[in-house]
Amino acid sequence: MDEKTQVATALQTALPDMSIEDIKNKLERPKTNKNGDYAFPTFFLAKELHKAPQMIAGELIEKIDQTGFEKVVAAGPYINFFLDKANVGAGILKEILADPEHYGNLDLGHQANVTIDMSSPNIAKPMSMGHLRSTVIGNAIANIMKKVNYNPIKIDHLGDWGTQFGKLMAAYEMWGDEEAVKADPINTLQKYYVKINTEADEHPEYAEAGREWFRKLEDGDEEAVRLWKWFRAESLKRFMKVYDMLDVQFDSYNGEAFYNDKMDEILQLLNDKHLLQKSRGAGIVDLSKYDLNPAMVQKSDGSTLYMTRDLATALFRKRMYGFEQSLYVVGAEQSYYFQQLKATLATMGFTWSKQIHHIPFGLMTLNGKKMSTRKGNVVQLEEVLDESIKLARQQIAEKNPDLANADQVAQEVGVGAIVFHDLKNERTNSINFKLEDAVKFEGETGPYVQYAHARAESLLRKAGNPDLAGADLKLNDEESWNIIKLLGQYQETIKRAAVKYDPSLIGKYALSLAKAFNQYYAHTRILVDDDQKLARLALVQAVSDVLKSALALLGVKAPDEM
């Protein structure tokens, strides 16, 4: 039984009409240890019992089963519970050491499928810093969902179709150099794309040429298809290099092109249900009952749109995976669009539209400036990762010049710094990215948390990695308890992160645990030989294990030495 359940069970002896879950939902955590470990407010009972909250607290405490607590006291309108620190702490440490890999696991999902639409870069364009957020937030959510026993299915819905490919083919026809593309595909194609967009105002015929090439592609023209396949294959190679650096894998790379032959069914279904209305020649679906603008699913010339494709995508994924949840990790600026998508599916009679969730995130700026592929002011993610690894390597050389596997650690620290810098922030907040801030070994950074883990491992090596099985794990001091309380909150933090789709809760938890451990390390003689040495080392081992687990949920490695 976890501590929160223990407190709720004790309270239920005095409040038999309340369920354990209702009581747990009312419990609060006091800001300081002097007010106990859990507090139960009685304000909500005042109206029902016609008594002052202070009086209710005083009466309830007489009925509470206080077995297993250090003490339970009434403090004004609150009932404060002080846990039996030594026994509770020993139980938490024992649980972690027995199975560190599965500590914090929950069964919220019962192995149900969750599709996660994430990353989704556009073919023939470099992966920019703008793609970082969707990629790492989606990956962390997948890890968290797996930890609570869902089966995450990560989908890289590649932007591999659309009029921009027509523009690119037109540009290649005018200025293309096959050898230059083969030597550096993404950057060369990017130059062509920027050039045709930059000069389109002076040369309106460029836009027409782009439309013509896209028509050829849609009609299956041999040369257009050849170029498209070539651009796609070369782009995927480059994307895979970045994904390998981030240690992100996908279960599907089906992009927009995959759904070309699946949109007719959507239009047919809309027609059959008499939902497809005409407005100025275009096909729309009325969403007024949802207080939304109509969803346009067909242009006046009969061609389809993103909405048509996304309706087909949602239906295919439901049939293919039978998902219980379908998550779209896409920027906050698309929130209204996803409301329309869900409403259109609901209008079509698909009740599972309620299982679709847009996971929005804020804009990332670089040194205060917005990035744009079309205008050419884009910062490539691969370059930022390389630079971060280089900065990490420099700091490692200064702090630990004799580190055996310095290059591998620099890779793990440099990449981890970029990932953690994003994920420690609430995803809906905008981020202004500064590389130097992310790679610092001090402050609220990934390297700071990694260093706390490495410090714990170093202590265990100095102690000779003792066998802790069967040791007396009871600790009574305040700083030990501060850490143990945090360790005991890991599962609850994971649960909230899963329910809210918010990896920042894990990031903030890891920072809190690292700070508490560093404080403990500074004030406690951990390796001194006394009767609590093994208990202190068990605490160090538990911190190391949980920090490693939390970082792994975020997609960040935890080196044993730095």
Side-chain angles (χ1 to χ4, degrees), residues 376-405:
N377 60 329
V378 66
V379 178
Q380 295 193 25
L381 177 52
E382 186 179 339
E383 291 175 0
V384 174
L385 291 171
D386 284 336
E387 187 61 28
S388 184
I389 293 165
K390 186 176 164 188
L391 277 175
R393 186 70 180 84
Q394 288 170 2
Q395 292 185 77
I396 289 167
E398 291 167 12
K399 292 175 182 288
N400 191 357
D402 300 323
L403 185 62
N405 56 339

Side-chain angles (χ1 to χ4, degrees), residues 55 122 160 265 292 352 361 363 366 542:
M55 187 181 293
N122 290 322
D160 59 2
E265 182 188 1
L292 296 169
W352 47 263
F361 54 84
L363 183 71
L366 197 71

Side-chain angles (χ1 to χ4, degrees), residues 125-131 187 190 194 366 370-381 383-384:
K125 296 180 188 176
M127 278 185 76
S128 75
M129 281 298 288
H131 292 104
N187 288 326
Q190 169 71 359
V194 170
L366 197 71
K370 191 173 178 180
M371 295 170 278
S372 167
T373 312
R374 185 172 297 184
K375 293 177 182 174
N377 60 329
V378 66
V379 178
Q380 295 193 25
L381 177 52
E383 291 175 0
V384 174

Side-chain angles (χ1 to χ4, degrees), residues 141-349:
I141 288 173
N143 293 338
I144 292 164
M145 297 306 267
K146 190 170 185 181
K147 187 79 173 166
V148 298
N149 202 26
Y150 282 97
N151 178 38
I153 297 156
K154 294 186 282 185
I155 301 169
D156 196 358
H157 187 74
L158 295 169
D160 59 2
W161 202 254
T163 52
Q164 71 268 30
F165 292 102
K167 278 188 183 178
L168 186 58
M169 289 170 189
Y172 181 76
E173 184 186 37
M174 290 186 282
W175 310 301
D177 179 334
E178 187 172 346
E179 292 307 312
V181 174
K182 283 180 178 175
D184 186 5
I186 299 296
N187 288 326
T188 307
L189 292 172
Q190 169 71 359
K191 282 177 195 167
Y192 300 154
Y193 184 73
V194 170
K195 183 176 171 70
I196 197 168
N197 276 296
T198 305
E199 299 182 11
D201 289 340
E202 292 179 22
H203 296 276
E205 68 273 15
Y206 288 179
E208 181 50 44
R211 284 191 288 271
E212 178 57 34
W213 267 103
F214 187 58
R215 274 194 290 273
K216 285 184 184 179
L217 181 60
E218 287 192 304
D219 293 340
D221 175 83
E222 190 176 332
E223 177 61 6
V225 171
R226 182 189 75 81
L227 287 173
W228 176 79
K229 284 182 176 177
W230 180 33
F231 295 162
R232 190 182 193 276
E234 292 296 342
S235 299
L236 259 178
K237 280 185 207 169
R238 191 65 177 270
F239 296 160
M240 293 309 295
K241 187 178 177 188
V242 177
Y243 291 139
D244 286 346
M245 291 176 83
L246 292 169
D247 195 23
V248 172
Q249 296 84 36
F250 291 92
D251 301 291
S252 167
Y253 292 94
N254 288 338
E256 292 174 28
F258 179 78
Y259 297 96
N260 280 344
D261 62 353
K262 296 171 179 60
M263 288 181 283
D264 285 347
E265 182 188 1
I266 293 297
L267 295 173
Q268 189 62 53
L269 282 168
L270 288 167
N271 264 316
D272 291 348
K273 292 172 183 284
H274 308 293
L275 296 171
L276 195 61
Q277 301 176 9
K278 288 294 179 184
S279 175
R280 297 179 187 174
I284 64 164
V285 178
D286 180 19
L287 301 177
S288 56
K289 74 173 181 177
Y290 298 98
D291 292 324
L292 296 169
N293 293 331
M296 188 185 293
V297 294
Q298 194 173 33
K299 292 182 184 176
S300 55
D301 63 4
S303 59
T304 54
L305 298 99
Y306 278 119
M307 180 63 74
T308 335
R309 198 175 299 272
D310 284 333
L311 291 168
T313 302
L315 183 56
F316 174 83
R317 287 177 184 169
K318 184 62 179 176
R319 288 170 175 167
M320 178 76 179
Y321 301 113
F323 58 70
E324 188 170 290
Q325 297 180 49
S326 181
L327 312 182
Y328 290 79
V329 186
V330 180
E333 68 278 4
Q334 296 294 327
S335 291
Y336 191 83
Y337 174 82
F338 279 100
Q339 288 179 48
Q340 288 181 306
L341 176 66
K342 287 182 69 171
T344 305
L345 287 165
T347 302
M348 294 172 75

